[in-house]
Amino acid sequence: MGLTGIQIFKYLPKTNCGDCKFPTCLAFAMRLAAAQVRLDACPHVSEESKKILTEVSAPPIRLIKLGAGDRTIEIGDETVLFRHEKKFNHPSALALAIADNLSDQEIESKVQEVNNSVMERVGQQLRVDLICLQDKSGDAGRFAQVAKKVAGSSTAGLILHSLKPEIIKAGLTETVTRNPLIYAATEENQSQMAALAKEYRVPLAVFSDKGLEALSSLAEKVAAAGVEDLVLDSGARSSGRMLSDLTQIRRAAAKKKFKPLGYPTIVFPGEGGGDALMEAARAGIGIMKYASLIVLNSIGKESLLPLYTLRQNIFTDPQQPMQVGENLYKVGEPTETSPLLITTNFSLTYFIVLGEIENSKVPSWLLVADSEGLSVLTAWAADKFNAPKIAKLVKKQNVEDRIKHRNLIIPGYVSVLSGEIEEELPGWKVLVGPREAANIPKYLRDMA
Amino acid sequence: MAFTVPKEVYNGKINQVEVGRDQHKLILGGEEVLPFLSFEGKAVSTVPLALEVHDVNPGDWAPSLTAVYGSAMNDPVQWARMCQDEFKADMICLRLSGTHPDNGDRSAEEAGKVVQAVLAAVKVPLIILGSNHAEKDAAVIKHVAEVAANTGSIIGKAQEKNYKTFAAVATAYGHKLVALSDLDINLSKQLNILLTQSGFDGKNIIIDAMSSTLGYGLEYTYSVMERIRLSALQQNDAMMQMPMICDVGEVTWKIKEAKASEEDQPAWGPAKPRGVLWETLTALSFLMAGGNLVVFRHPEALGMVRKTVAELATAA
């Protein structure tokens, strides 16, 4: 953000009242400067200070909300170019394009595809977030009718896609409570589109494929007309243009504080030609490189799972390892005599161990200990994966009721724990497994 | 407010490494900007893409892969020809997995015969890798590197435990070297320093930052590679300016998301396009993070990445 802690401090009440949960106003100011807290946490800041601070602390890329209720999506509000610098805040939202000239039945089946797009991975619900309703009929009545139908059969966010203001208006009358994005204002229609966005208080996409200079001056015009929530489309349809334009937009906004481009972006990877897999590959580039909204023409499950996973990976907080839940997991169809292994809950550790047990084809039990997201060696060094914790976990998960034998396989790297675990768990025998997960298949097969 | 193109100033560039023999040489690296950002300087327009071939039939490959290679997997020569002629691989990555003590423990001489036969059968440059058993690899590579002398191959993988042997034979027989370290920018730099201090020419090193796959640590590799590229280009760190190899096929086709059939996982859609896309997106991620050479298992993933690279190279 623009101001340092000391500069922010000047605008705070300086009473050190502690209502913000920080001991002093200065401490609070430091957190504000690092964007770790919000100004609202201080109930006493004056209206005047609030105005100044909000203005200067506005994110370089505007935060835009789309959709309604629990399906509200936030995009934008990014501050860095590389994920190792600071977490990317808002994952790219995915949308499915639906043309209004399809049959009602085809439209309904595409809407259901979006409704059924939910998958779970590492405890997160992943889904296609929006439907982009495209005017291909040129008929305002048809567009409005389809918009109403789509809004009725899905709670997904909506994008109304037409360059004709009268068609957008027809769609808006049916969907305005859902806070749709309207797409798009161009050089030709901008004053009417801006008027609609203002009248209905919805966000507006601006489109110009005449270069970023033209796009930024168009965005400036629309903003000057009083529309604050904008989304940018530079017309990039190939991977190369996407990378080049989105990088320049992100840099201009985040590093140079160039306000006319300080908005989220939208891309259409399916419009660049090729089949569904090429579309997905381009969408992948968008996820990696700064696309806020990605409108797809097809959402086969085989494309969605990799795209969801990529989105999850790129937008993970680099400071906070992903964790899986503490549990006794089944790998294959284990019986009460199948081997029992233990590992930590760092998602990467869990996935790799799980994968190798699966590769062994030996049905097994995998006990996952909460190590606060640390890998085995790190968790052991930090004393978060030790004998008392392991013993407690065995009891807590009722392992002794679910499994007949009393053999626990521990990771080879923590072989030193074996004696202590046996002391903590009378009747149990600790077996030292391999150090590297890659050797698990051989280990389990040799055991069987 | 007028828009000006926000260009970065770079102080360093990536080494250009030439591999292969005769009329079939290829260039790795050489870019002077972050990947494919040709609006601000010299970017690469092609990236060599390799397919994996094994000395012995791996036996456990996913149906999507065995359907492609069929019985050729029993014969490394036929397999390599198929990759070169039919699937247009720019390079062949020959993995001597049969030399692993747990996988047949073939001798260096046996491995050498395979290398010789494959070199005779194909013209494209070779990446010759051991079985990722540090001690055995050191023993095997001495002989294999000699067999492949003066073919400008890439050999590997040199690790902290065996780098001296690798450095000596790569120098003696004119090969480039893959330097593999655990996923950590400092370890990667450290290995490059050790190699150059032992007298190996840093211009012949190719960094392996340790590839992972989508959903299984991709974000770690991605960020380590991005940081390596930034230190090479922005801080002009000579020990980070080597081209990077992305070994994505091996890690990708091990996981269940790439392998599981649709019958077993109906919610995941058909297996083949899912696996191909998994490998494609993993490769593209590492290319966006600064990779200069990719090793694939599925030729369709190679094809998709080739098309995407062509798109990336023509931004205007």
Side-chain angles (χ1 to χ4, degrees):
Chain A
M1 304 288 149
L3 294 188
T4 66
I6 302 291
Q7 285 167 322
I8 293 172
F9 176 64
K10 283 193 279 190
Y11 295 98
L12 297 179
K14 304 194 193 76
T15 52
N16 299 337
C17 68
D19 289 351
C20 60
K21 307 272 185 287
F22 293 95
T24 64
C25 290
L26 184 59
F28 179 62
M30 295 310 224
R31 295 300 179 108
L32 269 179
Q36 289 164 341
V37 286
R38 297 175 65 95
L39 185 59
D40 326 344
C42 173
H44 311 295
V45 65
S46 74
E47 280 308 313
E48 196 186 334
S49 294
K50 200 182 269 178
K51 194 162 172 282
I52 296 167
L53 285 173
T54 315
E55 216 154 274
V56 294
S57 68
I61 296 172
R62 193 175 168 81
L63 175 73
I64 310 281
K65 291 182 183 179
L66 301 172
D70 62 355
R71 295 296 299 273
T72 305
I73 300 140
E74 296 189 338
I75 52 173
D77 186 25
E78 302 293 348
T79 54
V80 296
L81 272 298
F82 301 102
R83 62 179 295 282
H84 62 261
E85 298 174 88
K86 188 179 163 292
K87 180 181 190 268
F88 289 169
N89 293 323
H90 297 292
S92 314
L94 300 174
L96 175 66
I98 302 181
D100 71 347
N101 63 350
L102 296 175
S103 73
D104 287 359
Q105 201 187 345
E106 283 170 305
I107 289 171
E108 183 57 25
S109 97
K110 280 181 173 263
V111 171
Q112 289 314 320
E113 242 189 299
V114 172
N115 291 345
N116 296 330
S117 68
V118 181
M119 296 190 202
E120 201 193 296
R121 204 172 184 293
V122 206
Q124 288 181 14
Q125 294 269 316
L126 308 162
R127 64 175 4 136
V128 172
D129 311 278
L130 306 112
I131 289 169
C132 177
L133 180 60
Q134 291 181 317
D135 153 37
K136 299 269 173 165
S137 66
D139 173 352
R142 172 65 181 166
F143 192 76
Q145 183 202 348
V146 177
K148 186 178 180 184
K149 194 167 146 44
V150 168
S153 47
S154 176
T155 54
L158 295 170
I159 302 170
L160 302 178
H161 183 290
S162 173
L163 299 184
K164 299 185 185 117
E166 68 278 11
I167 289 188
I168 292 291
K169 189 179 168 85
L172 272 174
T173 52
E174 299 294 345
T175 59
V176 66
T177 55
R178 300 283 289 277
N179 188 31
L181 170 70
I182 59 182
Y183 178 104
T186 63
E187 207 52 68
E188 291 72 35
N189 69 16
Q190 43 108 356
S191 61
Q192 294 145 287
M193 286 292 193
L196 282 174
K198 268 171 68 181
E199 184 188 341
Y200 289 90
R201 299 167 156 273
V202 290
L204 172 63
V206 292
F207 167 84
S208 170
D209 60 358
K210 308 240 166 14
L212 297 183
E213 168 68 41
L215 180 66
S216 68
S217 67
L218 178 59
E220 250 182 327
K221 268 184 226 163
V222 176
V227 186
E228 293 183 315
D229 288 344
L230 302 182
V231 173
L232 306 171
D233 180 5
S234 72
R237 297 295 179 262
S238 77
S239 297
R241 274 287 303 281
M242 266 168 51
L243 173 66
S244 171
D245 288 356
L246 297 183
T247 301
Q248 290 182 39
I249 291 171
R250 180 74 157 254
R251 274 191 198 161
K255 293 188 76 172
K256 310 279 182 204
K257 312 283 180 241
F258 183 67
K259 278 196 84 167
L261 293 180
Y263 302 100
T265 54
I266 183 169
V267 296
F268 297 82
E271 303 300 314
D275 60 10
L277 286 191
M278 275 310 286
E279 174 178 39
R282 253 180 239 124
I285 304 275
I287 289 172
M288 294 168 224
K289 291 293 172 183
Y290 322 132
S292 316
L293 276 174
I294 299 176
V295 181
L296 299 164
N297 291 334
S298 59
I299 51 166
K301 304 262 187 213
E302 68 280 11
S303 297
L304 281 185
L305 182 65
L307 287 175
Y308 287 159
T309 309
L310 178 65
R311 181 171 69 170
Q312 211 173 23
N313 283 174
I314 296 293
F315 287 86
T316 296
D317 188 344
Q319 313 294 334
Q320 278 206 321
M322 294 225 289
Q323 305 178 20
V324 294
E326 185 175 272
N327 209 341
L328 180 62
Y329 292 92
K330 286 183 178 178
V331 190
E333 298 292 336
T335 67
E336 49 190 22
T337 58
S338 302
L340 168 68
L341 300 92
I342 186 166
T343 192
T344 65
N345 79 334
F346 175 35
S347 68
L348 193 48
T349 303
Y350 164 78
F351 274 127
I352 289 171
V353 171
L354 180 74
E356 294 296 355
I357 299 176
E358 281 171 349
N359 283 339
S360 78
K361 307 219 162 59
V362 180
S364 304
W365 298 93
L366 179 60
L367 188 57
V368 171
D370 181 1
S371 62
E372 294 166 35
L374 299 179
S375 62
V376 169
L377 255 189
T378 325
W380 170 76
D383 208 24
K384 296 190 192 306
F385 188 55
N386 57 28
K389 284 200 175 188
I390 292 169
K392 221 189 224 167
L393 178 63
V394 168
K395 301 286 179 208
K396 198 169 130 196
Q397 294 293 334
N398 297 320
V399 176
E400 297 188 337
D401 298 337
R402 297 165 72 180
I403 295 173
K404 275 268 169 60
H405 65 79
R406 295 289 176 264
N407 295 323
L408 176 65
I409 303 166
I410 64 169
Y413 276 115
V414 292
S415 57
V416 292
L417 289 177
S418 52
E420 218 185 314
I421 297 173
E422 286 180 357
E423 272 172 42
E424 297 269 348
L425 281 175
W428 280 76
K429 189 167 174 242
V430 171
L431 307 175
V432 176
R435 287 177 159 229
E436 301 294 340
N439 299 323
I440 289 177
K442 187 175 179 330
Y443 179 86
L444 287 178
R445 273 186 236 131
D446 288 352
M447 229 174 90
Chain B
M1 222 187 280
F3 170 77
T4 45
V5 176
K7 292 185 187 176
E8 289 290 327
V9 178
Y10 300 102
N11 305 304
K13 46 185 165 188
I14 306 309
N15 300 342
Q16 196 161 307
V17 177
E18 192 182 65
V19 298
R21 45 195 161 135
D22 310 324
Q23 311 310 311
H24 306 281
K25 289 183 176 155
L26 284 175
I27 302 281
L28 270 59
E31 71 269 28
E32 300 177 8
V33 296
L34 286 172
F36 305 105
L37 298 185
S38 49
F39 68 84
E40 57 187 356
K42 185 189 166 199
V44 295
S45 54
T46 56
V47 176
L49 307 176
L51 283 173
E52 230 177 84
V53 168
H54 287 240
D55 58 342
V56 293
N57 189 330
D60 60 350
W61 277 22
S64 306
L65 294 168
T66 52
V68 168
Y69 299 112
S71 62
M73 295 175 77
N74 296 318
D75 174 7
V77 166
Q78 199 195 336
W79 190 353
R81 276 209 192 105
M82 193 179 197
C83 292
Q84 174 190 271
D85 300 337
E86 200 170 321
F87 302 130
K88 309 293 176 206
D90 301 312
M91 298 179 77
I92 302 293
C93 176
L94 178 59
R95 283 198 128 95
L96 302 169
S97 47
T99 61
H100 195 284
D102 295 339
N103 189 34
D105 203 18
R106 287 179 150 209
S107 68
E109 287 68 31
E110 284 172 282
K113 281 186 192 132
V114 174
V115 170
Q116 197 162 31
V118 171
L119 274 169
V122 298
K123 294 170 177 155
V124 296
L126 245 53
I127 307 163
I128 305 168
L129 303 179
S131 62
N132 220 6
H133 184 282
E135 292 80 25
K136 184 70 190 282
D137 285 359
V140 169
I141 206 66
K142 279 188 214 162
H143 177 66
V144 163
E146 186 182 356
V147 169
N150 304 315
T151 56
S153 299
I154 299 173
I155 63 169
K157 296 178 177 178
Q159 308 181 39
E160 206 190 326
K161 279 186 207 160
N162 61 18
Y163 74 90
K164 284 183 181 154
T165 310
F166 270 93
V169 299
T171 308
Y173 303 112
H175 299 302
K176 319 296 171 191
L177 199 55
V178 176
L180 168 73
S181 49
D182 276 355
L183 201 44
D184 180 308
I185 184 170
N186 296 313
L187 292 179
S188 175
K189 183 170 170 174
Q190 175 67 16
L191 183 56
N192 293 339
I193 293 172
L194 288 173
L195 278 166
T196 45
Q197 280 176 350
S198 79
F200 191 74
D201 184 352
K203 295 267 189 307
N204 290 328
I205 296 176
I206 293 150
I207 294 175
D208 186 336
M210 184 165 278
S211 290
S212 49
T213 190
L214 200 54
Y216 295 78
L218 176 122
E219 68 271 37
Y220 296 90
T221 305
Y222 184 84
S223 284
V224 166
M225 288 179 71
E226 274 196 330
R227 291 173 61 206
I228 289 176
R229 267 308 152 260
L230 288 169
S231 13
L233 294 168
Q234 290 181 340
Q235 276 103 53
N236 194 19
D237 185 338
M239 285 300 113
M240 302 264 76
Q241 286 170 343
M242 298 76 177
M244 292 193 278
I245 186 172
C246 320
D247 198 359
V248 305
E250 184 180 44
V251 280
T252 299
W253 289 97
K254 234 164 62 163
I255 62 155
K256 68 168 181 284
E257 286 86 343
K259 287 195 305 195
S261 69
E262 193 175 8
E263 293 81 71
D264 288 345
Q265 296 287 348
W268 289 357
K272 194 192 95 175
R274 186 200 325 133
V276 165
L277 194 57
W278 212 275
E279 192 174 26
T280 301
L281 288 174
T282 303
L284 288 176
S285 303
F286 297 152
L287 289 182
M288 298 315 293
N292 301 91
L293 162 64
V294 188
V295 180
F296 293 89
R297 283 194 176 170
H298 205 295
E300 287 179 37
L302 180 147
M304 299 245 305
V305 170
R306 179 170 283 150
K307 275 195 225 163
T308 309
V309 166
E311 263 187 37
L312 287 165
T314 50

